[in-house]
Amino acid sequence: MRIFAAAILVTAFIAGPALAQDHVQRYREEIEKSPADLANEQRAQRAYQRAINSVPDQKPTDPWGIARSDNAPPAAAKTHAKPAAKAAAPKQAKPASAAAN
C-alpha cells in the first residue's frame, strides 16, 4: 500500500507542472503578441541593424594565397588560333658589283 501511495505521489509531482500550463503552442499556431512584445521586437531589430552596420567591410580573402608564390606573374591567356599563312617575302636584288663576279 505504501508503494502504491508513493507511486501516486510521484506521479502527482511529475504531472502537476504539466497540468498547470495554461496553453501549449501547437504546430503552425499563431501567437497573439501584445504591443509591448511588438515594441521589443522592433527595438531588437533596430539594435541588430546597428550592430551589422558597425562591422567594417572585409577585404576579399585568398584562401590559396599561401600555396602560391607572391612574385609569380598571373598566367597569360593562351591562344590556340593557328598562325596566319606566311606571306612570301620578295627577294632582294643583288648589287650590280656582285652580279659581275
Side-chain angles (χ1 to χ4, degrees):
M1 186 68 176
R2 283 191 213 178
I3 295 175
F4 182 70
I8 291 177
L9 184 63
V10 169
T11 304
F13 280 129
I14 292 173
L19 294 174
Q21 294 181 0
D22 52 344
H23 180 70
V24 178
Q25 182 182 359
R26 290 185 168 71
Y27 181 68
R28 290 191 166 202
E29 184 178 359
E30 300 270 338
I31 295 178
E32 294 179 21
K33 295 181 181 179
S34 67
D37 291 338
L38 293 174
N40 286 338
E41 283 185 9
Q42 289 175 351
R43 186 177 25 178
Q45 184 66 25
R46 285 192 305 268
Y48 171 75
Q49 289 298 327
R50 278 195 313 267
I52 292 296
N53 291 337
S54 68
V55 175
D57 292 332
Q58 300 286 326
K59 65 178 185 174
T61 59
D62 184 11
W64 289 96
I66 59 173
R68 278 188 284 283
S69 64
D70 290 337
N71 56 3
K78 295 182 180 180
T79 57
H80 295 290
K82 293 182 179 180
K86 293 183 180 179
K91 293 184 179 180
Q92 293 183 353
K94 291 182 181 181
S97 64
N101 284 340

